Amino acid sequence: MSFVPSSFLGQLPNVSRASADAAPFGIVQVDDAGTIQLYNKWESDMAGVPVASAEGRNFFTQVAPCTNNRLVFGKFKDGVAAGSLDAEFNYTFTYKMKPTNVTIRLFRHAPSRTNWVLVGKRAA
C-alpha cells in the first residue's frame, strides 16, 4: 500500500502550497527536466534544504544529487519520455544527511503534464 492516498494523486496539479506543506510526506513538483517548481515543508525539513534554496534548481543534480542515477533519474526521464510515470520503490538518501530510508513515488499526472517526486519515510 502506498504512503500517498490515491485520492491525493488526482489533486496534485492543483495542490496549494499550504496543502502541500500540511502533507505528512515530501511533495516535490518538477518540470520535465527536473527543475523544482514546488518543494514542500516536509521535504525541506527532512532534507535540510530550505524551500527558497531548492525551488528553481534541478532536483536530481543540484538538490538531491544522490538521486542522479539510473534507478531514480533514469526512471524519471524514461517516464517523462513515455508520457506515463507511476513508480514506487524504496531508496536511501545519503546527500547532506545521515543515510535516510525512504519510499519514493515518481508520478506524472498525464492530463496536466506535471511531474511529482513524492517521498515518505520508512523504517530502517
Side-chain angles (χ1 to χ4, degrees):
M1 178 161 184
S2 179
F3 65 95
V4 181
S6 57
S7 60
F8 188 77
L9 293 176
Q11 299 171 13
L12 279 174
N14 302 310
V15 69
S16 67
R17 181 168 299 277
S19 294
D21 284 345
F25 52 87
I27 300 173
V28 183
Q29 180 185 5
V30 296
D31 67 12
D32 288 354
T35 302
I36 298 171
Q37 312 296 305
L38 174 74
Y39 193 78
N40 80 333
K41 182 177 179 349
W42 189 99
E43 185 69 18
S44 173
D45 291 347
M46 193 268 304
V49 177
V51 171
S53 296
E55 291 180 346
R57 295 176 70 206
N58 188 285
F59 179 79
F60 303 100
T61 61
Q62 296 176 303
V63 175
C66 63
T67 64
N68 186 11
N69 55 45
R70 182 78 195 122
L71 178 64
V72 185
F73 193 31
K75 194 175 298 250
F76 171 81
K77 288 190 295 188
D78 290 348
V80 167
S84 175
L85 176 63
D86 190 359
E88 185 169 310
F89 50 93
N90 292 333
Y91 195 72
T92 302
F93 280 130
T94 57
Y95 182 67
K96 287 189 174 180
M97 61 175 63
K98 65 180 170 66
T100 303
N101 295 319
V102 297
T103 300
I104 294 177
R105 184 160 186 184
L106 300 175
F107 182 75
R108 181 172 175 93
H109 184 265
S112 66
R113 297 162 80 175
T114 57
N115 306 303
W116 304 86
V117 179
L118 308 167
V119 180
K121 266 202 167 171
R122 67 179 170 86

